[in-house]
Amino acid sequence: GQAQPASVAEVLKTVAKTLMSTVGGAAGPLYGTAFLRASKAAGDGELDGVGVAAVIAGALDGIQARGKATTGEKTMVDAWTPALEAARAAAESGSDPAAVLEAAATAAESGAAATEPMRATKGRASYLGERSIGHLDPGAVSTSLILRAAVRAAGEAGAA
């Protein structure tokens, strides 16, 4: 079988390379860069709560470096930004890594839901103009799904 990855950073780096080589459109490079920066932020050892927040910060940095979007433009940034704020708050209050991830995922879900009434002004969806109103942003939704999957994976690892 596959050799076990040595670290969180290694897993994130593998995810980045896989996304960059297989996902078309804007999402591949955006998520690829996000996971690459997240991998750098993870460092070598185990992640504590503060480390989890740092990984999320790395992901958001990568997305903003690549996509130049800010909040309110109906993009994945509208999910990653509240995720990071919630993760930092949880980490600062001494939460464990699983609880920090949980806070991030919940905030990303709220952030994704909040994109529905927005008009897209960045990225490919901006071509739809007014027609983008009333739809959830796919990047924001996929962000919330990724973070929720990370919560589940952390839970399974903790139960092992």
Side-chain angles (χ1 to χ4, degrees):
Q2 283 293 107
Q4 282 295 318
S7 64
V8 171
E10 206 174 290
V11 173
L12 293 168
K13 198 172 190 176
T14 304
V15 170
K17 287 180 173 163
T18 306
L19 288 167
M20 283 177 170
S21 61
T22 57
V23 178
L30 282 165
Y31 274 130
T33 306
F35 279 95
L36 215 49
R37 295 275 180 100
S39 161
K40 286 200 177 83
D44 294 330
E46 293 279 303
L47 288 180
D48 59 4
V50 172
V52 171
V55 164
I56 293 169
L60 177 58
D61 280 346
I63 288 159
Q64 290 189 299
R66 194 54 104 110
K68 309 281 185 266
T70 183
T71 52
E73 294 179 321
K74 195 173 183 129
T75 70
M76 58 175 71
V77 171
D78 289 306
W80 283 104
T81 300
L84 176 57
E85 287 164 3
R88 281 192 172 141
E92 280 163 20
S93 73
S95 296
D96 67 14
V100 172
L101 262 181
E102 172 63 46
T106 300
E109 286 157 357
S110 300
T115 65
E116 191 171 351
M118 293 178 183
R119 181 178 188 274
T121 56
K122 256 288 182 336
R124 216 157 283 178
S126 65
Y127 303 146
L128 295 169
E130 295 297 316
R131 286 180 299 160
S132 66
I133 295 170
H135 298 278
L136 294 170
D137 178 67
V141 172
S142 61
T143 296
S144 71
L145 294 172
I146 285 169
L147 288 168
R148 182 56 63 197
V151 170
R152 281 197 301 274
E156 285 159 20

